[in-house]
Amino acid sequence: MLHHIYSDYYKQPAKITEKKPEIHGVVLHDDAENNKAVDYIQWLQRRIDKDELEKGWACVYVDKESCYWFHPSNYIEWHCGEPFANAHFIGIERCQSLINGVLSDKAFMENEETSYWIAALLLKKYNLPITRETVRLHKEFSDTACPARAWQVHLGDVPTNEKNINKLKDYFIEHIKRYSDQITKDDLDVLG
Ligand SMILES: [Zn+2]
């Protein structure tokens, strides 16, 4: 059973950013850290305390046990290093994804399952299809290796180009689609 935790941004009127003008889809990120989703509660609080939020943050942090909903999905995020993507896509940060980090590939793939489920729910909530246009990679928007772990696990040592980007997106799409038929109205209630 996934444990959903919500930050104070869900309880207070003040938000970090303005609302997104429109939601086009989701971006599946790999955090390249050893942090669990719950570790991001303090990690993000430190960024707030040090006034360092501009270094980046996403709507939700996930692993196989928990989802930490940091900021409402309909608000602009600082997750892609690119204004259009930040204003139109929802960031799903897949935790403990550091290459050669605490997780085996198999354990990392268990965390990935949560990200597919949450992606399926968010796309459903915003009435979006599951396509190459709505399921995106960080590296499509800026110069980054993200999602580096998934790239290594699912594609191997291959260059970043359109063909390989689409290959990984198609893999994500296939896994997100496996969940989309199972979604009930109650499932959508957990979304932040
Ligand atoms: Zn990323």
Side-chain angles (χ1 to χ4, degrees), residues 5 31 33-46 61 63 65-66 68 95-96 102:
I5 307 157
D31 70 342
E33 302 277 359
N34 281 322
N35 301 332
K36 288 179 152 202
V38 292
D39 295 332
Y40 280 97
I41 298 171
Q42 278 193 7
W43 191 91
L44 288 156
Q45 189 57 49
R46 273 199 301 275
Y61 295 75
D63 59 32
E65 294 163 348
S66 312
Y68 177 49
C95 300
Q96 300 173 297
V102 290

Side-chain angles (χ1 to χ4, degrees), residues 2-6 65-69 117-118 121 190-191:
L2 259 184
H3 185 45
H4 292 271
I5 307 157
Y6 303 86
E65 294 163 348
S66 312
C67 296
Y68 177 49
W69 295 92
W117 169 241
I118 295 299
L121 290 176
V190 301
L191 295 177

Side-chain angles (χ1 to χ4, degrees), residues 27-31 79-80 93 138-139 144 146-147:
V27 175
L28 272 58
H29 296 271
D30 286 353
D31 70 342
H79 65 122
C80 282
E93 199 71 63
H138 188 172
K139 62 167 70 183
T144 174
C146 180

